[in-house]
């Protein structure tokens, strides 16, 4: 986009720059001042968004993701996320996390920890409605009290990547 700036007679380009005008030789692009190191870090964060989260919260990527989950679900009844296994075993943590982004898809206040199958079904359907594929099996999640923490973390990472990056 070109702008035609009329210069009053006798006004030098230095005076215009002092008044806040930009020189055609300088860039006002927000990435113009990005250093190669910053550019490299941004590229890395696109590949691995959990690295940025770890920098923000400190500690390991796993603990940073756990802290992010705790922050997102703060104030939700019956939610106490302390790990990526038993904290997720009734489906409510998934429902709470997804409810923060998709409240119309999950009637959180109507849910019960006793109805695991409904909770997992609602959460996974809500996530799939925006393109997040479920990597967890509902029946397996309903049967176990201690789901595989790596599988749960992988799925939660998918949710984080979709909504936060």
């Amino acid at each position: 986009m070109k702008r035609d700036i009329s210069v009053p007679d006798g006004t030098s380009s230095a005076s215009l720059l002092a008044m806040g005008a930009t020189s055609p030789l300088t860039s006002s692009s927000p990435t113009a001042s990005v250093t190669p190191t910053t550019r490299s870090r941004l590229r890395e964060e696109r590949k691995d968004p959990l690295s940025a989260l770890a920098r923000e919260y400190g500690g390991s990527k796993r603990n940073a993701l756990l802290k992010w989950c705790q922050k997102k679900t703060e104030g939700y009844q019956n939610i106490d996320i302390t790990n990526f296994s038993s904290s997720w075993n009734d489906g409510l943590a998934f429902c709470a996390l997804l409810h923060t982004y998709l409240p119309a898809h999950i009637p959180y206040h109507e849910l019960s920890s006793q109805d695991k199958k409904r909770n997992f079904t609602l959460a996974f359907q809500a996530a799939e409605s925006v393109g997040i594929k479920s990597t967890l099996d509902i029946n397996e999640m309903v049967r176990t009290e201690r789901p595989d923490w790596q599988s749960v973390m992988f799925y939660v990472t998918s949710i984080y990547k979709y909504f936060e990056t």
Side-chain angles (χ1 to χ4, degrees), residues 35-46 51 55:
T35 64
T37 306
T38 304
R39 211 173 278 124
S40 172
R41 193 189 68 195
L42 292 171
R43 222 180 346 250
E44 182 61 33
E45 287 173 5
R46 268 188 239 115
S51 61
R55 258 194 306 285

